Amino acid sequence: MKISLKDIDDIFLALIELDSDKQDYHLSMKEYMACSNKEQLMHTLIGKNSESWQSFKSDLVSYLSKLGFEWKPSQGQGGPMRLTKVYLPSKIGTLLARKIFDTVSEGELTEALSTILPNMVKYLKNDPSILNLSGVRDGFKDFVFNNSTYKFKRGKGNYFYKTKNEFIYYSSDGKQDELGLGNLILEKLEKCLSIEIRHSQFERGGGKLQNYDFVGYKILSDINFDNLEIYTFELKASNTIDSITKAISQAINYKAFSNYAYIVIPMFDYELFHDKDRFETFKQLCHENEIGIITIEFNENNEIKEVYEVTSIAKRELHEKAIIFEILENEDLEACPLCKRIVSRKDRGNCSWLLNINNDSKCMKDLIDNSVSKITLNTLGSLQ
């Protein structure tokens, strides 16, 4: 059955005319008799002329059920028909997306429908719950043009926005740009997990740290000492199947060197990804291999909207602890042997063993180091 947006709205216009007494979604024999000779109205509702009230009820159920209209007839030949639910087909959502794609970048699905199908909204205004939009949503999301499509915002009901489908982040010269993307997300990635992160993509070819796109850490403190939690990240500038497969494989190799290993993939959660079944497979694969997922959400202008954690992971024991010393060295930190805190080498910040000397707080390790240096110098001087 071929159908257009206008056909749907014409059906609701016909129902408005037919359900003329109270527009209470009950069609009575009296209302039918007032319109039975209106050929255009009958053709709109049942596809042909009507012969009787009884045949009209049967034809109405048969004809409009193909478009998702559900009716409940009352007992008795003269009893009314009651409209109980409207499940518009997914094709209506696809047609709606095509209709507004060039002019509407985001909005509420119900508002978009009210503009395109004003008679539907007018007829259902007294009881909007009759309309079920699940099929419309599916068809709306399925429409793709120039690798762009509509998605529904997480936690926002029927609020939609336009976005890319299979996504690749390009530099200004048209090349896939993982380095540029890394620079853009660094601060957002830090905020996402509340950790310190170092971008290591520019330092390829050296030690263990330089295999990751990012390495991050968090200082954990308890009553006795500080410790480091280590995070590693594998970033891809594309959410193609091949890119995601490679990212997971690389992140698995990082597990021995970090408490938490993540892949960072643009446009990669259930609502954003272009292949929902494949997403669930990837998600399960990451779960089995203790790999977390972080995604980067873009708008249609290639601007970052959000960086967020899609799946979290449990902490693993650190098997290769040399990475801790690499991070401490790179960040100009040290694990103080006296106070057992991780402190800055420059100003001894975070030191928990300070002495007040001449109204100034002095780090005990610095005082000991200075004293030892003086004793050593005096000893060497006396020997000369």
Side-chain angles (χ1 to χ4, degrees):
M1 181 179 183
K2 292 184 178 180
I3 195 70
S4 68
L5 294 170
K6 184 178 184 304
D7 292 333
I8 291 292
D9 209 45
D10 285 347
I11 288 170
F12 282 102
L13 180 61
L15 289 174
I16 290 172
E17 185 175 355
L18 182 59
D19 188 10
S20 57
D21 58 352
K22 301 176 183 177
Q23 289 192 11
D24 56 1
Y25 316 117
H26 286 73
L27 303 180
S28 67
M29 183 167 63
K30 179 181 178 181
E31 290 171 319
Y32 162 76
M33 294 301 296
C35 296
S36 60
N37 292 326
K38 298 180 179 180
E39 293 185 2
Q40 184 59 47
L41 185 147
M42 290 297 147
H43 273 264
T44 298
L45 293 177
I46 63 176
K48 60 182 180 180
N49 292 337
S50 177
E51 299 175 359
S52 67
W53 167 238
Q54 199 62 32
S55 65
F56 171 79
K57 291 198 291 183
S58 176
D59 291 338
L60 185 69
V61 171
S62 175
Y63 191 73
L64 292 189
S65 65
K66 300 172 185 177
L67 299 176
F69 287 72
E70 292 186 357
W71 302 87
K72 184 176 181 179
S74 300
Q75 293 182 349
Q77 292 186 354
M81 294 284 291
R82 180 165 65 91
L83 179 63
T84 57
K85 209 73 177 175
V86 178
Y87 297 89
L88 292 179
S90 61
K91 183 180 179 182
I92 296 303
T94 304
L95 291 173
L96 174 65
R98 179 180 289 115
K99 179 80 172 178
I100 68 174
F101 204 75
D102 291 336
T103 56
V104 180
S105 60
E106 60 182 318
E108 283 285 345
L109 185 60
T110 50
E111 291 180 5
L113 283 168
S114 68
T115 301
I116 306 300
L117 302 175
N119 290 310
M120 181 188 75
V121 175
K122 181 179 179 181
Y123 184 61
L124 298 179
K125 68 180 185 299
N126 294 328
D127 189 1
S129 65
I130 288 178
L131 181 63
N132 185 295
L133 293 175
S134 58
V136 175
R137 281 174 59 103
D138 290 341
F140 193 76
K141 294 185 295 183
D142 286 343
F143 179 73
V144 179
F145 182 74
N146 284 341
N147 203 37
S148 292
T149 188
Y150 283 124
K151 302 292 183 183
F152 289 96
K153 194 167 184 64
R154 295 177 301 126
K156 294 289 186 178
N158 289 318
Y159 190 87
F160 64 86
Y161 60 95
K162 193 185 297 183
T163 185
K164 294 291 184 183
N165 202 343
E166 188 174 272
F167 182 88
I168 300 175
Y169 181 79
Y170 292 106
S171 62
S172 57
D173 59 2
K175 295 181 180 179
Q176 186 167 316
D177 188 8
E178 190 173 298
L179 291 176
L181 180 57
N183 286 330
L184 283 177
I185 70 166
L186 182 58
E187 290 185 9
K188 295 179 182 295
L189 191 58
E190 288 182 325
K191 291 179 180 178
C192 173
L193 296 177
S194 299
I195 62 175
E196 300 290 330
I197 295 180
R198 185 166 63 84
H199 192 169
S200 56
Q201 288 174 308
F202 294 107
E203 303 171 6
R204 302 292 192 188
K208 296 183 181 69
L209 290 184
Q210 295 157 17
N211 294 326
Y212 324 124
D213 292 315
F214 299 96
V215 61
Y217 67 93
K218 179 186 291 185
I219 298 175
L220 297 182
S221 299
D222 63 22
I223 195 170
N224 295 314
F225 57 86
D226 289 349
N227 204 349
L228 285 184
E229 281 187 340
I230 309 300
Y231 295 71
T232 51
F233 304 87
E234 181 60 36
L235 169 68
K236 296 298 180 187
S238 167
N239 67 353
T240 62
I241 301 301
D242 184 58
S243 293
I244 297 165
T245 302
K246 288 180 179 178
I248 294 173
S249 177
Q250 290 170 281
I252 289 172
N253 293 330
Y254 304 157
K255 287 166 54 178
F257 308 110
S258 55
N259 301 112
Y260 305 91
Y262 283 89
I263 59 172
V264 185
I265 308 292
M267 307 300 283
F268 189 59
D269 74 1
Y270 185 79
E271 288 298 327
L272 300 176
F273 195 50
H274 49 87
D275 188 332
K276 288 179 171 45
D277 292 335
R278 209 68 175 271
F279 173 79
E280 293 298 337
T281 301
F282 281 133
K283 181 179 176 181
Q284 182 61 30
L285 182 61
C286 287
H287 175 74
E288 292 171 355
N289 287 281
E290 299 176 288
I291 302 297
I293 300 172
I294 290 175
T295 195
I296 311 160
E297 184 178 351
F298 285 82
N299 64 19
E300 60 181 308
N301 298 317
N302 255 24
E303 298 167 338
I304 296 176
K305 294 182 67 175
E306 190 177 359
V307 175
Y308 58 89
E309 188 179 33
V310 178
T311 60
S312 58
I313 46 175
K315 182 179 179 180
R316 291 186 308 275
E317 288 300 316
L318 200 64
H319 298 295
E320 175 53 77
K321 296 188 177 181
I323 189 173
I324 292 178
F325 299 103
E326 292 187 49
I327 289 178
L328 292 175
E329 181 180 353
N330 285 323
E331 299 299 312
D332 206 17
L333 301 171
E334 72 172 35
C336 179
L338 297 181
C339 70
K340 306 299 182 182
R341 300 297 176 190
I342 295 175
V343 300
S344 167
R345 287 196 183 101
K346 293 179 180 179
D347 57 14
R348 310 303 295 173
N350 203 40
C351 177
S352 64
W353 193 353
L354 300 173
L355 292 181
N356 192 334
I357 300 176
N358 296 327
N359 295 321
D360 190 13
S361 296
K362 299 291 185 180
C363 168
M364 178 59 72
K365 182 176 182 299
D366 278 351
L367 292 172
I368 292 174
D369 286 346
N370 291 335
S371 297
V372 170
S373 295
K374 289 179 181 179
I375 291 171
T376 301
L377 289 173
N378 290 335
T379 301
L380 289 175
S382 64
L383 290 175
Q384 294 176 350

